[in-house]
Amino acid sequence: FGDWKLALQLLREMSEDRVARSTITFNSAISSCEKGRTWAPALQLLSEMAKDLVERSTITFNAAISACAKGGMLTTALQLLRNMAQNRVETNSITYSAVVSACE
């Protein structure tokens, strides 16, 4: 469960080394947060993506919603679902499954 910290460190090193960070690299880091059951860093990465104008995909939001679900953050998961609609990011069955799991 500690691998998410390493993923965040590597993402920061990419930035420091002036290596372009993409949707894929952010998604990997957010997925690591989800697997580590830590939602706050996942949301921070989501915000960083918006600030840096990196495209946030369905996969990006699904991973962030799952991280919130595993952290018991139902309200935040629902807000991310609304953000997807506002940003015209397509939802899918995984999106809704993740939100439903936050209800448990």
Side-chain angles (χ1 to χ4, degrees):
F1 290 92
D3 292 343
W4 65 271
K5 290 179 184 178
L6 178 58
L8 296 182
Q9 179 59 37
L10 291 169
L11 197 64
R12 292 200 187 347
E13 286 178 20
M14 286 180 72
S15 182
E16 292 166 6
D17 292 342
R18 299 182 194 269
V19 175
R21 301 181 303 171
S22 67
T23 301
I24 294 169
T25 56
F26 273 100
N27 287 354
S28 295
I30 292 170
S31 289
S32 292
C33 292
E34 181 249 328
K35 288 178 179 75
R37 299 179 183 274
T38 182
W39 58 272
L43 296 182
Q44 184 176 344
L45 291 173
L46 201 61
S47 294
E48 245 179 85
M49 290 177 78
K51 185 184 78 150
D52 293 348
L53 303 177
V54 176
E55 180 184 358
R56 298 176 299 168
S57 68
T58 302
I59 294 169
T60 308
F61 277 95
N62 287 352
I65 290 170
S66 290
C68 290
K70 289 181 179 180
M73 303 298 295
L74 172 60
T75 303
T76 306
L78 290 169
Q79 181 60 47
L80 289 174
L81 180 63
R82 285 190 286 275
N83 286 350
M84 289 179 78
Q86 292 167 353
N87 290 288
R88 294 186 172 93
V89 177
E90 186 176 331
T91 59
N92 60 23
S93 61
I94 296 168
T95 309
Y96 286 96
S97 292
V99 175
V100 168
S101 72
C103 297
E104 295 175 354

